[in-house]
Amino acid sequence: IADNNLRVLIVFHSHGNAFASGVTYDGIPLTLVDSQTGDGRITLWYLINPPVGTADIVATHTSSSYVAHMQAFDFKGADITSPIRTAVKEATTDVGSHTADLTTTTVAGDIVIDYITTNDDRSLTVGSGQTLVSDGVTGSSADYRFGSSHETASGTSTVMSYVVSGSNHTYMAVPVTGTTATEVVGLD
């Protein structure tokens, strides 16, 4: 975490069959925003003004039968009184190859971040205008695939999407707000 003003740390946690019951950064608990169940479970967490420097992000969950994954984003210039807008989410099963898409309510300049999980044998193709942050498989037996991206909003709604090469996905997206339309800058 860089020494910037108005910092916010946002963490997506996913697990095959358990929600994270808590996430900490440098031992400080993050606030739970939302969760979604589907082909995997996703929780969304944040921490306002995390300590500057390097520290562990630790998640607690009740099951060790599947692997877990986390994607962290840190921002500067965020509106720390209300750092995120409403998360949007969905989960599908048995739909075949498809496009997973979510429409978020935004203000121009928000940075929308997302996280998706699906079966390990699927491929993900990020939507137009989005910057891919991660795309990979987890676990020694490649239990599932995850992806994450971001896009800067240019209007009152922003669509985030992936083309998924098979059925089943769990997906969540959330806009990060700034003190003005141009101050939020993703750092990681």
Side-chain angles (χ1 to χ4, degrees), residues 7 58 86 96 158 179:
R7 299 181 306 277
V58 178
T86 303
T158 302
T179 53

Side-chain angles (χ1 to χ4, degrees), residues 20 28 30 33 42 51 84 94 120 129 164 168:
I28 303 166
L30 278 68
V33 176
I42 299 173
I84 57 176
D94 301 324
D120 63 320
V164 183
N168 303 351

Side-chain angles (χ1 to χ4, degrees), residues 7-150:
R7 299 181 306 277
V8 64
L9 172 66
I10 299 176
V11 175
F12 287 100
H13 175 274
S14 64
H15 190 278
N17 69 352
F19 286 115
S21 57
V23 175
T24 62
Y25 172 76
D26 197 21
I28 303 166
L30 278 68
T31 300
L32 177 65
V33 176
D34 210 339
S35 62
Q36 178 66 29
T37 299
D39 188 28
R41 286 148 179 83
I42 299 173
T43 50
L44 173 64
W45 306 80
Y46 77 94
L47 177 62
I48 294 170
N49 285 326
V52 173
T54 302
D56 290 333
I57 299 172
V58 178
T60 303
H61 46 80
T62 58
S63 174
S64 61
S65 63
Y66 287 83
V67 295
H69 180 263
M70 288 188 282
Q71 179 66 55
F73 294 85
D74 66 289
F75 295 89
K76 66 179 181 179
D79 176 355
I80 60 172
T81 61
S82 182
I84 57 176
R85 300 191 194 284
T86 303
V88 290
K89 56 193 180 176
E90 69 178 13
T92 63
T93 58
D94 301 324
V95 294
S97 295
H98 64 285
T99 298
D101 61 343
L102 297 173
T103 302
T104 60
T105 301
T106 56
V107 171
D110 286 352
I111 296 178
V112 183
I113 56 177
D114 69 3
Y115 189 90
I116 189 168
T117 66
T118 188
N119 296 343
D120 63 320
D121 60 347
R122 310 295 189 240
S123 65
L124 297 170
T125 304
V126 69
S128 176
Q130 294 166 231
T131 300
L132 187 66
V133 176
S134 61
D135 178 8
V137 292
T138 62
S140 58
S141 61
D143 294 324
Y144 66 95
R145 176 170 293 282
F146 61 87
S148 188
S149 71
H150 65 83

